Structure formats: C-alpha cells, structure tokens
Amino acid sequence: MIDINLLEKLNAPTAQQRLDNLKAILADIDFPPTVPQYINNHIHTTYSFSPYSPTAAVWFARAAGLCTCGLMDHDSIAGAEEFLAAAEAAKQLADLIGGKGKIAVIAHDQTSKSGTDRRDGFLEWMEGNAPDIEVVDVQYGDGDQLKSTDAAKAIIAANPDLAGMYGTNEGSAIGVVNAVKELNLKGKLTIVGFDSGKAQIDAIKDGTMAGAVTQNPVGIGYETVKAAVAAAKGESVDKVIDTGFYWYDAENIDSDEIKPNLYE
C-alpha cells in the first residue's frame, strides 16, 4: 500500500524540495537489507509517464530491497539522442526531395520531452541546413492515427504543392501514410517517420513511405545490463551511455543490423 502523504512529499514541485523532504524522511527510517538478485533497470519517472519523481522512484526502489536500479526515461539525458535522431530524419527528407520545396510536420505532442525533441531536432536542422525548404505547418495528433490522418489531410489540402511530411512517432507517421493513401498521393509526397511498427514497416516496403529513424533497443538492453552488472560489482559506470539510432529504408530494412531493432 502506497503512503500518499509520503508520495506527495517525494513528488514536490522542485528537485530541491524533493531532496530536502527525502533527507527529513530518511532521518527516521531504517531500511531493510538489499537483496542481491533484486534489480530493476527499467524504471520510468515523471520525466516519461510515471507518477513517481526520480526521488520517489529511488525511495520506493530502496524500500523494496532493490540493490540496483536504473532510469529509462525518454529524456534521461535531456533528449540529446532523440534530438540528433530527428535531425537525421530531416537530413534524409531534404535529400529525398532534392533540397527544396514545402514540407510539414505531424508531431505527437508539444509537452513531452520526446515530442518536443523529435520536433525541434527536425526543425532546427532544416533551418540551419536547408535554406530552400519551407516548413509550412506543424500540427499535433497526440500520436493517434485518426487524428494524425485528419491533420495531414488538412495540411495537404491547404498546400497542394507539398513535397514531404515527417511524423514524429509511429502513430503520427501512419496518420500521414493513411492520408497519402486516401488522397491517392503515393509517389507524389515523400514521407519520413520515427520508430517502427508493422504498419510503418509495410509502408516502407510498399514504397508509400521513404524511411524512418529507429532507436537502438538491442543496444539499449545490452548497455543497460552491462552497466547494471558493473554497478552491482561496485565498478564505475559512465554517466551517459549513447546507444545511438539508425535510419532505415527499403534497402536496409531486412539487414542484420536493422531488423533486430524493429518491432511490429
């Protein structure tokens, strides 16, 4: 049973308040011993979608007897990797449309770090590297395919000479794909996306979509376990471990490097 009053203190508005509250709480607490086999290296906090702040997550992990825990928040290193991955999507789209023309973005939201980094990384690369490409609109579909389809169709209707579109996650990208199919624009409008999923993989294979950026889940899993083992042994662990990302398209989608990192 979670102590709501305790959780509220550990979820205080600022990091300093949370840490001060934690120090006060620790003064009157004796934790049970840790259990060597109790390890959880996939913990989310309020920096993703969990109701627990990082302070609260650490508290409850220790109270449960965990000897090692690790955060897997979407912006655990301030979103640097996603920002760079989005820039890769921008570069690919710019190359695909010949470095000129009008494009638009369907983003999944404008509040999460994932949403803003995948949007801003793309937009900033275009602004700094593609002077002949005009971003005519950015719309938000909440990662919902139907909302994203409607948003994409509205942008296309307002910009019949649109050359390309970028979807910032699976739902956003498939919304664009659906719009292009419904409007019979396959081969006339270039689509790039982010993440994977069966519908996105199929769209790339059938030529509706040019390609997408994927994270490196195999590398994330490997490096997480490697770091956890090192930490459990008392060894030093790098503060930031960059697991990278990949661009995939019809040419490399079934390669040994890409295929294991895609999900359906």
Side-chain angles (χ1 to χ4, degrees):
M1 190 72 173
I2 295 176
D3 185 331
I4 299 300
N5 290 329
L6 175 64
L7 181 59
E8 287 179 349
K9 291 179 180 178
L10 297 178
N11 275 353
T14 70
Q16 189 58 56
Q17 286 175 304
R18 295 192 291 269
L19 292 173
D20 288 344
N21 289 342
L22 177 62
K23 290 177 182 178
I25 294 168
L26 288 173
D28 298 318
I29 289 291
D30 288 323
F31 278 119
T34 58
V35 181
Q37 65 267 34
Y38 282 10
I39 296 173
N40 184 348
N41 282 299
H42 198 119
I43 296 175
H44 287 277
T45 74
T46 47
Y47 284 85
S48 295
F49 45 71
S50 166
Y52 301 105
S53 71
T55 303
V58 169
W59 164 271
F60 286 109
R62 180 61 185 86
L66 270 66
C67 68
T68 304
C69 63
L71 298 186
M72 292 292 287
D73 282 319
H74 298 156
D75 60 339
S76 55
I77 55 168
E81 187 173 316
E82 284 193 308
F83 193 92
L84 295 174
E88 177 64 22
K91 177 181 181 298
Q92 293 290 340
L93 181 56
D95 290 343
L96 287 163
I97 65 174
K100 60 183 179 180
K102 296 179 179 180
I103 64 170
V105 177
I106 300 295
H108 53 285
D109 68 57
Q110 53 187 324
T111 55
S112 73
K113 192 67 174 171
S114 170
T116 57
D117 282 334
R118 293 185 185 190
R119 176 197 66 196
D120 294 347
F122 181 91
L123 295 176
E124 290 192 20
W125 190 95
M126 285 295 183
E127 182 179 2
N129 298 277
D132 295 324
I133 292 179
E134 178 187 0
V135 181
V136 297
D137 204 351
V138 178
Q139 291 293 324
Y140 303 89
D142 298 327
D144 180 85
Q145 293 185 20
L146 293 177
K147 290 182 181 179
S148 298
T149 298
D150 289 342
K153 289 168 72 174
I155 292 174
I156 293 169
N159 301 274
D161 55 346
L162 201 67
M165 296 190 80
Y166 162 58
T168 62
N169 74 348
E170 181 184 356
S172 304
I174 294 308
V176 178
V177 167
N178 291 341
V180 165
K181 287 182 176 179
E182 290 178 21
L183 298 172
N184 296 314
L185 292 176
K186 179 180 176 180
K188 299 177 183 178
L189 195 153
T190 303
I191 307 169
V192 299
F194 208 113
D195 295 329
S196 54
K198 187 178 188 306
Q200 203 164 189
I201 291 170
D202 289 344
I204 290 172
K205 287 185 174 181
D206 72 20
T208 306
M209 192 171 174
V213 172
T214 178
Q215 298 179 70
N216 179 13
V218 174
I220 291 171
Y222 175 82
E223 292 295 341
T224 299
V225 173
K226 181 180 175 182
V229 171
K233 292 180 178 179
E235 300 172 1
S236 63
V237 177
D238 292 337
K239 291 183 178 180
V240 175
I241 300 173
D242 184 0
T243 56
F245 53 85
Y246 299 104
W247 166 261
Y248 68 100
D249 54 24
E251 292 187 3
N252 69 351
I253 196 168
D254 290 319
S255 68
D256 292 339
E257 180 180 50
I258 299 298
K259 193 171 183 178
N261 289 295
L262 304 181
Y263 60 86
E264 294 193 357

